[in-house]
Every structure is written in structure tokens, then in C-alpha cells.
Amino acid sequence: MKAPSFAYTKPGSIGEVFDLLDRHGDEAKLLAGGQSLLATLNMRLSSPALLIDIGNLPGLSGVTMSGGRLRIGALTTHRTLECSPEIAAHAPLLAQAAPHIAHVAIRNLGTIGGSIALADPAAEWPACCVALDAEFILSARGAERRVKAREFFRGLYDTALGRAELLTAIEVPVLGPDYRSCFLELARRHGDYAITGIAAVARVRDRQLSDVRLAFLGVGSVPVLARGAMAAVEGKAMGPDRVAAAQAALAADLDPVADLTNSAATKLHLSRVLLGRALAALAG
Amino acid sequence: MDHGIETTIIVNGTATTRRIAPRTHLIDFLREELGLTGSHIGCEHGVCGACTVRVDGRIVRGCLMLAVQANGCKVDTIEGLSDSGELAPLQRAFHEHNALQCGFCTPGMLLAAQDLLHHKPQANREEIRTHLSGNYCRCTGYHAIVDAVEEVLASRRAGAAK
Amino acid sequence: MNARAELPLHAPNTKTDRGYIGKSEPRPNAKRLLQGRGTYVDDLRFPRLAHVVFFRSPYAHARIKRLDLSKAASQPGVVAVFDGRAVARYCTPWVGVLGHLNGIKSPPQHAIAIERACWQGEAVAAIVAESRTQAEDALQHVEAEWEELPVVTDMEAALAGEPVIHPDLGDNICFSRELVTPGFDDVWKTADLVVEETFEFGRHTGVCLEGRSILADYNVAEHTLTVYHSTQAPHMMQDIFSRHLDIPESNVRVICKDVGGSFGIKVHVYPDEMATAAISVMLRRPVKFVADRLESFLTDIHAREHKATVRLACTKEGDILAFDLDDLTAIGPYSVYPRTSGIEGNQVVNLTGGPYKHQQYRAKLNVVFTNKNVTCQYRAVGHPIAVALTEGIVDLAAQKLGMDPAEFRRRNLIADDAYPYTFPSGIKFEKLSHHQCLDKLLALMDYKGLRAEQAALRKKGVYRGIGLAAMIEVTNPSPAFYGVGGARISAQDGATLRLDPTGMINVLCSVTEQGQGTEGIFAQIAASVLGVTMDRVRLLTGDTGVTPYGGGTWASRGAGIGGEAVLQAGKALRSNILDVAAAILNEDKALLDIVNNEVIDKLTRASKLTLTELGRIAYFRPDTLPMKFQSELTVTRHYTPREYGFVFTNGIQASLVEVDIETGFVKLLKHWCVEDCGTVINPMLVDEQIRGGIVQGIGAALFEECLYSAEGQLMNGSMADYLVPMAGEMPDIVVGHVETPTKTSELGAKGAGEAGTAGAPGAVSNAINDALAPLNARVTAQPFTPERILQALGKA
């Protein structure tokens, strides 16, 4: 399966990227890690005229801390995040999620920015960013804006990213020491796309959860913040009744889409199971 | 539209400059242009791991990397890593445990196993399986591969302990 | 009581030394593969090599209204374009039927479809270009108009003829068979208990990591065709290329380089491969085709789509009286050539109930055409179905009677001293060891301990299951398998052994290698028989121009048949070498032996002459030997299995699983297999074949299914969506051996290549149902996806 023909360019600055995007519009695609794009090209599912390789743009990679927020460059690889001491310390949810992303060889090249911009419904990072109430920094020529993760994902492969914009960084608020996180995913085989997954974060005191965030992946076209389930446990002590209430509320929060081997009902059921397990893990 | 782009890649220690069509993935470049046929194509969509090579010290799917992206990079293939001897302990263990049959997955499997030796020298059997979970083998059923890797890890730990 | 084979490797009255037989020698030919220095077909380089790709039908059933290749023909790098009619002038069609499958029918199939495509992915045009990339680019410029025809994908609809795919044939029944033993009805009426279950098996496929590959090189000056082919049966292909391309047989040479996995996928005739060979003839230049992964899912043979109802009748004490089988299986729109797509179902009929001593049997089989990809023999052909049906219904009967499944089996397995034995389906067993294997398995796995642990864990809400699967397996087939039906598929094989001037041994054998270790075991046998060290032996297989004529690798015949040919040739060569030695030394041959690359005095063990020296003299200084003496240091022997239709092996497997009853996910904790394949030449290679086969069977049980829409579109034809077993989910697999050598050969080796796959689905199926038993849930449709398990539990 050989890719169709395309031109390739590797701009040295973000300004050049904007020039290219202006000039070529829809005919051009950005190449970051390429772990999704190149597979679709090999299968001839898309034929861009030009690939703009942003892989080596300076300043877009790395993890820094500033003012209680973690700033993750969009070109930071999954593997870097997986192995980062800062991430482990200040955003452990991401460290829990990273090993679920495909396999090491993919994680060595794939980037968090690429994953978020593509917004595959089964991707791990979007749900994590929603759970962490992260903010995305979108750069255009001479301008920069911030969009909350919770507003960024609009539909199937559809985000708030404008045509002439580049996702340049992800900012994650660092949560206090009494916060716990739990990432769980159900996949048929290690590294497969998730059937369903949950990114769960809460402040925990004596088995009581507050500031609860429960974001699901793989159950719709976008990550879903399960507000009904969250409300059912917010500020409450954990126990079997609480968990059951949250699981019941999930039916209103989620409207799962069936896949080849899992009906919508199965996905809802599995989501409930993961919810129960995540809440138990958070409560300790 | 498909003008070749001048690209220099250090393949198995030798700087190699060619004009490469952008759409050529790294494995096709290695196999067709350089005749390094030890890296194999199994799916061309990044799932089977047969194309695993090492770029700047990290294992990657060669089918999901354009050759032009590897400009300025060091690429190590099964041939180079065999000749340098770096893979010798794993190759010996694979041989003795019959951790290969048809051999098609083997170069990729060895590269992935070698990566494990670097990054997880204390790996147990389950962790070995997890690290190799992206490399498809249809012939062996994986058990012998895990045995071989486990043996090399153990002998390294024993050697380091001395 | 099975003694290890006393192989007569040396002259009578000497100490029998088995040499390398029974030793786990690493394979010499694995070294190149470990360095990425093997040669697979896609690695070959030829001057003027052209690449062919195929324009494939996007519809499951459609008439080709218009096909315009002219724009494609003018694309950069394109050498030629062909439709079905053009290729048909060079390649005649074929029909996948055999005489011994009574009533089997199938329409003719062309290398490239003419007028009508009958499955999504069927090739309807060929584009040849200077590179694969250019050929794929040109494909985008093919213009085609189609008239969609009614599609039948459901096997029951196919059976009912709704609609009939080939009107000329009258219905969609490719093959059907019925058999019933004379006492069946009586026994059925008097049984205390009848249990019944309907099992479903999802169609799945081989997924060899190396795609199907062929490079055909026609030389017009000589009217010769050399084909480098990733195939298991080069001589069969030689015959087929010869007959269908009208090239004299000996002008066709088929060469197998390294083959990246086969498992039966690569023993069939594929239209796109035949087209590739024809195109080489048409263009008078080498042409290569390698199926990419998406094509492979669409066109590599699929297998094992069955819906079968099985019933078992027994006494209340637990004696099985009879099995009753009704099997419906869906194949593609053509029966595959030349082995036919009726064999798999036929095997299910032959083998259901196999390990047990009941006398009565009734079976009904229908094999129906559908508009999905073609199906044919894939590792363990029919056995996985037969074993899963048999072992599933046996477990159900045991459950109903409140008997332990192992004890129920013990009561019913054919006794180890009951042989030779004729089974109700007509197959004959030479000698099996069911009870010995059962005992060994139960000890190996600590069955009692596992049952105790299972009971304890159940109280804590942890659901573990133990599943057993006893099996018989077809190996070393005689001409009864294919030859009697008219197929030019050889059931015999030959080996040529040669002593080279420096004393090294060359072995040429018609059995082929795809990684299982054929060449390794032949080296072990040759070295053992000849008294040389293994490092002195060189192998060549897979070249019809060089090796003796034979059948190749399929039906677990390589070790047993090829191995025996090597053994016999080795014995003969040894004798000839000693003749030369006797002539050189002027001594009585009977006083000499060969050990460690040297001719020695049998009694004193003193070295008399190295083989290196013997070779020098025989080849370069025959003037020093007696006038009438002629050295014959190249010997060929053939071997044909004759006494039995198949030399059956037996084994038994066990699976230990834990079912997460909330998610329906199954964790495979461990797997065991005790296998009796007769003389074991290399235990490590047998273990690896068993393990690999087991994992393939696990794939079928838990992960793999080719999913088609009602319109006949394959919905999961990529590695992301078709789930093959990967290392993370597989268990450790413990293998034990029992050896009951076959007396049909001196070597005594039976086959082992498919046993793992034969038993694993049944073992896993039974384990899952054992885990779910306390919850009154049962699953019967493979693959056992989490959803299916949740549905059985009433949770989804």
C-alpha cells in the first residue's frame, strides 16, 4: 500500500508554517509524529498535495513548570511524557494514561499535539485533558488564543482548531497533593484502541471525593465529561450505594456509539464497570 | 510533484546521501534503495512491528516514517546491529530457544527486545510481554521469545552483579 | 508402554545410538534469519523486473458492465494492462473439484475474472508497471461500471438458494455428505441422556506476516518459466503452471526461498498468482506480485465458518453411545483449486467424536457457496471445529451427569491397547495413547490442585475455569487424501544424500521449510544415520529443478514422510560409503562403522579413515581403487505412506482461564498440551510448533473473525481491526510428550504441526464455560468476545 504522491517541506520557523498554510490551505497537511497521518496515507485514504513537517520547530517540545501550571509543548512525544519526572509528579493522570497509547515504537514518534489535533474518539490525551481542565494554546500568525479542552472537541475529528492555526502547547493546572487520579481503559489487546476508557480525578479526604472529574473516551465522537455521575459523587463519602448511583447516572451522561464488536449497550455497561473501579481506586 | 529531496541519513554508521521522493517510507528506502532487506514490511499501517528499526537510538515503525524525515538521523537496522555485535546475546538466546521460526518478525522483534534491555533491565515476564506486545509473531506463540529475553536479562543482571 | 524407537541407525549387533534424534538442536538455517539475512521473494532483484497490482471488485457480486484500462495504461511507468480475457488466452481456467468427494461441484475460475466478480476483492484487471508505487498510482485511473447483483452472505440463506450464485449449478451447495452407522437409530432410542448444543465458528484467516509473494520469470528463448514462490508445495505448483500455461512440465521450475509463514494459506492456487505467472509469459520479463496486508485480508483464503449442531447420547453411568452431527459451513463463491473447499467440512464429519469408543454415529454436512472470500485448508483443517464440538458436548454431558470432565473422558477414551481400531466414521487408527496422555496432562497441570484452587476462589467471587480438549490429528497422509481424487498432489517424497569431496553431506529433499524446522530435523536425521556431526550437513529444499519429486509441506507430513526418505537415503549412502571404505582399506565392510566423521573399526573403535580422505580418494583418485569398483556417493530414496489413510496422532490440551464477569474479558492464565507424535526428532521444535499452533487456536477462540456486512463487504480487513494474538495476552504454554512410534516407517515419526491449533479452541471454550457454569451461563459462538460473554451472563 504505497502512499500517493505529495510534496514535502520542512519549515524552520512557525512563521513559515503560517505562510505555507495560507498559501496551500486544505491541500496541505501538517506532519508532526505522523503515526496516524502516514498510516492513512499508506492506505490512500487521503491525498494531500503537500506535507508540512513541523517535527523540528524550535520551542514546541518539552515540559516546563510555571506558576502552578505545567506547560507541555505540542510536539512532546508520548514517550517523553511517559518517562517524564515532572509529569509523574505534577500530572500523574498523564503518566497513568501514557502506557495505554499503542506501543513503544509509536510512542517514540507520536506527539501529544498531534493526538489532540486529530481528536480520535478513542485517544487517551483528549479525555485526560478534559478531566484535568487543561487549556490549549492555539497560535496563529501574530496571535495566540487559549481554548479550554472542555470546549475544544466539537465532533468526530472536529475541533476548535482553525485552518490557519497551530496547536503549540497544552497547559495543565497542577492539582494539590490531596488529589488522586486514575486512568482505566478496556481494550481487547494491549495497545489497541480503547473500547471505553475513563480519566478520573478527584480530591480525596477520608474516602470523600470532591472536585470530581470523570471523562470518558471511546464512547462517543468526543471525550465526555460525565456530569451526572460526577454530581452523584461530588462531596459525598464513597460506598457501594454512591457508586451505584453514579453508575446509574451514566445512562444519561453517555450515548455510546456501537463499534464492530460492541453494541452501544455493551459500551455503556463497560463504562459503568470502569466507573465503579475508578471510584474505588480514587477512594482508596 | 514528486521531485526527490536530497536527504542524508547515517545508516548503520555510514552517511548516505540520496534524492528521495517524499512519499517513500523509511523501510522502502532501506530495502529498495540501499538493498537492506533485513527490515520487513508486514502491514504498512504501523500495527505488526515487522518494520521496527532504530532511529537516533529509539525504536520506530519504519513504515510510519518518511525517509526524508530521517534527514540527519542515525538509523540502525538489523544488519548493522548484527555486524556490530550489539544483538549477539539476544540472537544467541533466540537461536537456542528457537524463538523464531519463519524469521519474518525476527528483525523487528530483536530490535524491540534490545530496546527493552536498555530501558527495562529489571523486566519480569509480564513486562517483557508488554514491551513486545507491538510485535506480531504468528509462528512461535511468543513463549520461547519471552524465555530468550528473560535469559538475556538474567545473565546481564548476573554479569552486572559481579 | 511405549519404548522410544529403537532406530536401526547402525548395522545389526552394534549398540544402537540415536545420534541427534531426540535432541533439541538449534536450527542451522535460523542463523541467517536472526541477522535479517534471509531471502524472501520480495528481497529478490531482477533486471527488468515489473510489478503487477490488481484492480479488484469493490462489490461482493456484480457484473462488469464496462472496464476501461486506457487511462491507466498511459500512466507513468506502466508497462501493460490486462483484463480477464487477455490473460485467459495464456492461462486456462480451473475447477476445484476432486473425484473422491462425491458430488462436489464448482464453476470454473479464471486467473482474472471475466464478466462477473463474485466476491469483494476478486481481481478483474491487472496493471503492470516498473514499480509497485507506479502501478498503484495507475490503479486510480481504471474506470469501471458495475451492475450490482444479489448478494448472499448468510449461510442459511445460501443453503436455501436465496439467491443462487451460479444458476448453471442449480443451487449453492458445493458439497454435501451424509453418513449413518447401521445401529444408530436403536442406540439413540435407548439412551438415558441426550444432550444437544449448537456451536458457531467465526470465519477467520491465516495472517502470515510475509504476504503472499510470487516472482515469475519467463524465458521466451527456451520456453521456460522459473517461479520464485512463497509456497508450501513447489512441485504441485510446477504441475499447475505447466498445465494451465501450456509449458512442458520440466520447463517449469519452482523455487522456494525463505517463506515467512504459511500455515496452509500458501498451499493453494490463487488467481492473482496465476495471473502473475501468465503475465510474465505475456510480457517476456520477470514479474512480481506481493499481496499487501489489505489485499491479504480480502483474498488470502479464509476458513472455518461453521454452524454445527451436535448431540451426544450416553448412558446414565456416562458411557457415550453415539454422536449426531449436523454441520453447515459457508465457503466463498468458488471451491479452491486443487484441494477443494469441501475437505474442511469433510474432516469435521470424519473426526467428530474422534477420541471416544462409541460405535454409532450420524453426520450430515452441507458446504455452501456465498459471496464472501474463498475458503480452503488452513492449519488443522476441520479439527478445531470437530474438537470444539466434541469436547464441548462431552463437557455438557459430564455436567448434566454431575461427573468430573476428566473422569468422564477417562471412562470413554479408546483404551490404549485397543489398536488397530476402526472408528465409526471409517477412519482407522494404528495406535494411540489417549489414556497415557490424559494421565500425564492431569499430573503436569496438577488438575486436583487447580480444581481446589478454583473452588476456593469461587467463594471470593473470582471465576476461573479449567477446560480440557482431547483430540486426534491427521498426519502423514497417504494418497487417499488427494491423489485418489485425481489431484496431481504427491503423497510421497524423496531425499537425495550426497557425500561431497571434503566429506560434507548434502541433503536435497522435496519436503519444504517455512520455519517449522524441516531442514533442521533432516540434518539431524542425516547426521545420525551417517555418523557425521551436524555441522557437516547442508540442506536444500524447495527447488523443483534440484530436489527429488514430492509433495511439500501440508497436513503435518514433513517430519514423518520427508524424514523417512532422508533416513532411508542415509542408510543407503552409509552402506555405499562403507563400500568405498572397504575398497580403500581392503577390509571387510562388516567390520567398519562411521562415527564422528570417520570410518572406524567397529570392534576396536580405532579410526581408520576420515570421510574427508575417503571423499578425496573416491572423487579424485579412483585410479587407486579396484578396477571394477565404482563409488556411488549420491543416493536417492523415496517414501510413501501406504498402510493407513492417515497416520493419526493424539493429544490432549488444557486451558486455565479467569473470566472477569463484569467486563466479559477472559484472561488466559496458562495452557498445557501433552502430545504423542511418535518419534520426536527435536523436542524443542515440536514444542514450538505446538505452542505456535495453540496461540493460533486461541486467536480463533477469542479474537479473530472476518466480519462481513450483509452486502458482502469485509468490515475489518486491517491489522487494527482484525485481532491477531499478541504477546501481551498469551499465556505460558507447557508441553509434554508421549512417544508411540508409528510402525509405518523406520523413523517412527508422526506429524506435530497442527495439533496445537486443533485442540486450543476447544480447550479455551470449555474453560470459559467451566468458569461461567456456577452462573448458569454458556457461550457457544466463537470468537468469545466480551460482548458474547456478557450476553450469556445477561449483562448486555
Side-chain angles (χ1 to χ4, degrees):
Chain A
M1 298 124 52
K2 306 304 174 190
S5 190
F6 50 79
Y8 167 94
T9 183
K10 191 166 180 176
S13 74
I14 199 168
E16 285 173 59
V17 176
F18 294 129
D19 288 342
L20 289 160
L21 288 173
D22 279 345
R23 203 179 322 142
H24 295 279
D26 279 344
E27 290 284 297
K29 273 196 153 47
L30 295 173
L31 173 64
Q35 302 303 280
S36 300
L37 178 63
L38 295 183
T40 61
L41 290 177
N42 288 348
M43 292 198 269
R44 290 194 185 235
L45 294 172
S46 114
S47 353
L50 170 70
L51 251 53
I52 304 169
D53 186 351
I54 59 169
N56 274 0
L57 286 181
L60 293 189
S61 182
V63 179
T64 53
M65 264 281 271
S66 138
R69 294 168 77 78
L70 263 177
R71 187 179 168 107
I72 303 170
L75 290 179
T76 312
T77 65
H78 308 314
R79 186 66 168 161
T80 300
L81 295 174
E82 185 182 353
C83 303
S84 156
E86 284 90 2
I87 296 291
H90 304 298
L93 180 69
L94 302 183
Q96 290 165 334
H100 291 273
I101 302 173
H103 303 282
V104 172
I106 303 273
R107 297 203 288 278
N108 278 336
L109 290 183
T111 66
I112 183 167
S115 165
I116 287 167
L118 176 64
D120 188 291
E124 287 80 3
W125 293 143
C128 289
C129 289
V130 164
L132 292 172
D133 200 14
E135 232 170 27
F136 300 143
I137 293 146
L138 311 181
S139 302
R141 191 198 307 281
E144 193 180 85
R145 65 186 180 112
R146 292 162 166 274
V147 178
K148 284 185 164 297
R150 292 177 185 185
E151 285 147 27
F152 182 80
F153 302 101
R154 298 195 301 210
L156 189 61
Y157 300 110
D158 181 22
T159 69
L161 196 59
R163 247 190 226 143
E165 279 185 315
L166 208 60
L167 170 65
T168 49
I170 297 97
E171 276 190 8
V172 175
V174 175
L175 303 169
D178 45 0
Y179 275 80
R180 289 211 199 132
S181 62
C182 175
F183 184 90
L184 296 175
E185 183 180 293
L186 281 172
R188 298 290 297 285
R189 305 169 305 177
H190 202 90
D192 280 351
Y193 289 113
I195 300 171
T196 178
I198 183 172
V201 180
R203 185 198 284 122
V204 186
R205 277 193 198 126
D206 299 326
R207 290 187 62 80
Q208 193 178 86
L209 304 187
S210 59
D211 194 15
V212 181
R213 309 103 178 277
L214 305 168
F216 282 88
L217 56 119
V219 288
S221 50
V222 297
V224 179
L225 202 54
R227 294 187 191 275
M230 284 155 58
V233 297
E234 181 63 36
K236 312 267 197 334
M238 250 331 92
D241 289 345
R242 256 327 88 222
V243 172
Q247 288 172 321
L250 213 50
D253 289 333
L254 301 182
D255 188 18
V257 176
D259 62 36
L260 279 177
T261 48
N262 302 283
S263 68
T266 296
K267 286 207 172 202
L268 180 59
H269 169 83
L270 293 176
S271 302
R272 287 194 167 123
V273 173
L274 285 190
L275 175 61
R277 292 178 182 181
L279 290 174
L282 289 177
Chain B
M1 266 295 232
D2 219 1
H3 304 302
I5 296 184
E6 184 159 296
T7 308
T8 300
I9 310 176
I10 301 116
V11 181
N12 296 326
T14 301
T16 307
T17 303
R18 295 281 194 282
R19 297 199 76 84
I20 310 177
R23 61 167 157 171
T24 307
H25 58 62
L26 182 59
I27 297 300
D28 271 349
F29 173 71
L30 292 169
R31 291 178 55 79
E32 305 298 324
E33 182 61 29
L34 302 185
L36 290 167
T37 56
S39 306
H40 300 143
I41 291 175
C43 75
E44 275 179 316
H45 45 284
V47 182
C48 75
C51 66
T52 306
V53 290
R54 203 158 76 187
V55 177
D56 284 346
R58 302 171 301 171
I59 52 168
V60 303
R61 307 286 207 219
C63 72
L64 294 187
M65 187 173 199
L66 302 176
V68 295
Q69 281 181 286
N71 187 37
C73 295
K74 291 176 51 174
V75 174
D76 297 313
T77 72
I78 181 73
E79 293 93 340
L81 296 175
S82 296
D83 289 346
S84 74
E86 185 181 331
L87 291 177
L90 273 174
Q91 287 164 323
R92 191 161 40 241
F94 268 51
H95 196 207
E96 283 162 13
H97 288 269
N98 206 50
L100 72 155
Q101 290 192 20
C102 80
F104 206 76
C105 76
T106 306
M109 192 71 74
L110 285 169
L111 270 282
Q114 185 67 8
D115 188 71
L116 174 76
L117 298 191
H118 281 146
H119 288 107
K120 256 197 150 83
Q122 304 297 324
N124 59 25
R125 271 183 95 79
E126 200 181 309
E127 287 166 322
I128 294 171
R129 284 185 179 275
T130 299
H131 206 87
L132 298 181
S133 64
N135 286 76
Y136 174 50
C137 174
R138 193 52 140 176
C139 297
T140 67
Y142 305 107
H143 184 136
I145 295 174
V146 179
D147 284 348
V149 175
E150 194 180 40
E151 183 185 282
V152 176
L153 284 172
S155 88
R156 275 203 175 188
R157 288 197 288 265
K162 288 200 186 105
Chain C
M1 190 47 221
N2 297 305
R4 276 157 69 80
E6 291 290 306
L7 295 160
L9 297 180
H10 298 274
N13 303 318
T14 62
K15 179 174 155 230
T16 304
D17 184 324
R18 299 175 104 236
Y20 292 96
I21 310 288
K23 296 222 166 73
S24 292
E25 294 294 322
R27 296 158 47 213
N29 67 351
K31 287 188 188 160
R32 63 176 183 267
L33 304 177
L34 284 161
Q35 294 195 8
R37 287 177 162 131
T39 306
Y40 302 87
V41 169
D42 194 41
D43 300 338
L44 297 170
R45 299 286 172 266
F46 277 75
R48 299 189 71 229
L49 179 64
H51 299 254
V52 61
V53 302
F54 295 92
F55 180 71
R56 299 184 179 280
S57 168
Y59 298 107
H61 198 195
R63 197 174 64 79
I64 306 166
K65 273 170 58 180
R66 184 177 77 88
L67 189 64
D68 186 342
L69 305 176
S70 56
K71 290 206 181 64
S74 63
Q75 295 303 308
V78 173
V79 167
V81 298
F82 299 111
D83 66 6
R85 284 196 179 80
V87 175
R89 286 201 286 274
Y90 285 79
C91 181
T92 56
W94 53 82
V95 185
V97 297
L98 286 175
H100 63 320
L101 292 176
N102 235 322
I104 190 171
K105 61 187 193 278
S106 181
Q109 187 180 12
H110 287 267
I112 293 184
I114 298 172
E115 284 187 1
R116 179 175 70 129
C118 293
W119 88 88
Q120 181 211 17
E122 185 171 14
V124 303
I127 313 286
V128 190
E130 280 158 5
S131 72
R132 170 92 192 195
T133 303
Q134 289 168 321
E136 287 193 21
D137 287 345
L139 265 184
Q140 312 296 314
H141 297 274
V142 172
E143 290 175 4
E145 270 170 46
W146 303 86
E147 178 198 327
E148 287 183 67
L149 298 171
V151 167
V152 57
T153 56
D154 172 78
M155 57 168 80
E156 263 133 354
L159 185 62
E162 291 159 7
V164 174
I165 298 174
H166 308 295
D168 288 351
L169 296 183
D171 57 35
N172 290 322
I173 300 173
C174 169
F175 175 61
S176 63
R177 181 180 168 198
E178 282 187 39
L179 80 83
V180 63
T181 53
F184 178 84
D185 284 333
D186 289 337
V187 143
W188 207 259
K189 287 184 205 128
T190 61
D192 294 323
L193 174 70
V194 172
V195 283
E196 174 176 322
E197 196 139 49
T198 298
F199 291 91
E200 288 174 70
F201 301 85
R203 135 194 299 251
H204 51 281
T205 183
V207 201
C208 308
L209 192 53
E210 180 208 24
R212 292 185 293 111
S213 310
I214 182 169
L215 194 161
D217 185 11
Y218 177 69
N219 184 322
V220 65
E222 301 181 324
H223 192 44
T224 56
L225 178 70
T226 307
V227 184
Y228 298 84
H229 200 179
S230 186
T231 181
Q232 299 167 223
H235 287 99
M236 182 193 85
M237 291 312 303
Q238 176 192 30
D239 166 73
I240 284 170
F241 290 132
S242 165
R243 284 188 292 112
H244 290 278
L245 299 174
D246 195 23
I247 300 173
E249 183 181 51
S250 301
N251 286 20
V252 177
R253 182 173 176 187
V254 179
I255 299 173
C256 306
K257 309 296 290 182
D258 289 310
V259 174
S262 52
F263 319 111
I265 303 300
K266 294 176 180 172
V267 81
H268 304 293
V269 167
Y270 287 90
D272 47 24
E273 296 177 9
M274 294 300 291
T276 304
I279 289 169
S280 175
V281 175
M282 294 156 87
L283 295 180
R284 303 176 169 189
R285 67 194 282 181
V287 179
K288 176 166 80 171
F289 168 64
V290 177
D292 66 35
R293 187 52 54 194
L294 301 186
E295 282 179 295
S296 290
F297 278 115
L298 282 177
T299 61
D300 285 1
I301 55 116
H302 292 176
R304 314 220 228 279
E305 183 181 344
H306 288 250
K307 184 168 175 175
T309 300
V310 65
R311 301 191 296 165
L312 179 159
C314 62
T315 66
K316 58 185 184 302
E317 292 80 26
D319 297 305
I320 301 173
L321 299 171
F323 284 83
D324 185 19
L325 169 74
D326 188 343
D327 184 22
L328 176 60
T329 176
I331 63 173
Y334 299 99
S335 170
V336 173
Y337 182 68
R339 294 169 193 255
T340 87
S341 303
I343 293 282
E344 182 184 288
N346 202 43
Q347 295 272 69
V348 178
V349 170
N350 285 339
L351 304 171
T352 293
Y356 302 109
K357 57 187 182 192
H358 56 289
Q359 297 295 304
Q360 303 301 330
Y361 181 48
R362 180 173 68 183
K364 187 165 104 171
L365 169 73
N366 276 303
V367 179
V368 294
F369 297 117
T370 64
N371 293 113
K372 296 186 278 198
N373 184 24
V374 296
T375 75
C376 211
Q377 279 72 302
Y378 164 46
R379 196 174 198 174
V381 190
H383 295 66
I385 316 287
V387 173
L389 295 175
T390 302
E391 296 302 282
I393 202 74
V394 157
D395 259 21
L396 190 60
Q399 193 185 80
K400 297 266 193 255
L401 291 174
M403 282 178 73
D404 173 83
E407 290 317 302
F408 186 88
R409 283 171 174 81
R410 191 189 298 287
R411 196 183 172 94
N412 286 287
L413 289 169
I414 298 170
D416 287 355
D417 61 1
Y419 300 94
Y421 187 95
T422 301
F423 186 71
S425 70
I427 56 182
K428 291 176 165 46
F429 304 138
E430 178 197 7
K431 190 162 160 57
L432 304 177
S433 59
H434 286 297
H435 288 266
Q436 204 179 341
C437 287
L438 173 65
D439 289 339
K440 189 157 186 164
L441 176 77
L442 297 179
L444 201 56
M445 65 190 284
D446 184 18
Y447 183 75
K448 287 205 183 88
L450 288 178
R451 283 288 181 207
E453 185 182 52
Q454 177 187 40
L457 286 170
R458 270 183 188 157
K459 296 198 180 94
K460 298 185 187 164
V462 174
Y463 292 88
R464 288 202 179 168
I466 300 163
L468 300 175
M471 63 202 181
I472 53 168
E473 195 204 325
V474 161
T475 81
N476 295 7
S478 74
F481 205 179
Y482 291 113
V484 301
R488 291 178 75 86
I489 292 169
S490 192
Q492 60 81 54
D493 277 277
T496 302
L497 267 59
R498 183 181 77 224
L499 178 83
D500 279 346
T502 58
M504 291 182 75
I505 302 295
N506 236 283
V507 178
L508 314 171
C509 189
S510 52
V511 170
T512 53
E513 165 88 70
Q514 299 88 39
Q516 65 275 80
T518 314
E519 293 192 359
I521 59 174
F522 291 168
Q524 286 177 249
I525 295 167
S528 304
V529 171
L530 290 168
V532 304
T533 52
M534 246 179 92
D535 61 311
R536 292 290 189 98
V537 182
R538 294 291 174 270
L539 268 296
L540 195 150
T541 61
D543 186 335
T544 62
V546 173
T547 70
Y549 195 94
T553 301
W554 40 275
S556 302
R557 63 194 297 281
I561 299 177
E564 181 68 6
V566 172
L567 176 69
Q568 294 305 324
K571 284 177 68 178
L573 179 60
R574 189 174 166 281
S575 175
N576 290 9
I577 290 172
L578 290 177
D579 284 336
V580 175
I584 292 171
L585 298 167
N586 199 16
E587 285 192 29
D588 184 355
K589 176 183 174 181
L591 299 175
L592 301 173
D593 200 352
I594 312 174
V595 173
N596 277 336
N597 312 314
E598 297 184 328
V599 178
I600 63 165
D601 182 302
K602 198 180 291 182
L603 294 171
T604 69
R605 316 302 286 170
S607 172
K608 310 283 285 196
L609 181 65
T610 66
L611 290 179
T612 308
E613 180 63 1
L614 186 151
R616 181 189 75 79
I617 295 168
Y619 285 109
F620 305 124
R621 296 306 311 274
D623 55 296
T624 63
L625 298 175
M627 183 63 77
K628 295 254 174 14
F629 182 83
Q630 176 59 56
S631 305
E632 295 289 1
L633 294 173
T634 303
V635 175
T636 301
R637 289 291 182 273
H638 288 256
Y639 172 70
T640 312
R642 294 293 304 277
E643 291 108 297
Y644 290 87
F646 309 99
V647 177
F648 277 90
T649 66
N650 65 278
I652 184 163
Q653 295 189 25
S655 166
L656 177 68
V657 306
E658 193 169 295
V659 179
D660 182 333
I661 60 162
E662 288 190 305
T663 63
F665 275 66
V666 175
K667 189 165 161 64
L668 300 166
L669 297 178
K670 206 151 179 187
H671 203 103
W672 298 261
C673 177
V674 174
E675 166 67 11
D676 184 347
C677 56
T679 303
V680 174
I681 300 152
N682 184 323
M684 180 170 69
L685 297 190
V686 171
D687 285 359
E688 289 318 297
Q689 276 288 71
I690 299 284
R691 286 177 171 148
I694 283 169
V695 168
Q696 233 167 337
I698 288 172
L702 291 179
F703 294 104
E704 300 183 44
E705 187 170 9
C706 303
L707 295 166
Y708 278 88
S709 70
E711 294 76 38
Q713 302 286 307
L714 180 63
M715 298 188 293
N716 65 336
S718 83
M719 295 296 283
D721 297 316
Y722 180 95
L723 307 178
V724 291
M726 305 294 274
E729 290 69 42
M730 291 304 108
D732 280 348
I733 300 168
V734 178
V735 184
H737 300 276
V738 168
E739 284 187 47
T740 308
T742 173
K743 293 197 161 62
T744 59
S745 71
E746 272 190 67
L747 184 61
K750 307 180 202 175
E754 297 168 277
T757 309
V764 172
S765 174
N766 282 348
I768 293 172
N769 282 327
D770 185 55
L772 298 177
L775 303 163
N776 288 319
R778 221 171 140 72
V779 284
T780 53
Q782 292 186 24
F784 302 117
T785 60
E787 178 163 279
R788 285 178 170 155
I789 290 172
L790 289 173
Q791 281 166 348
L793 289 166
K795 291 188 177 178

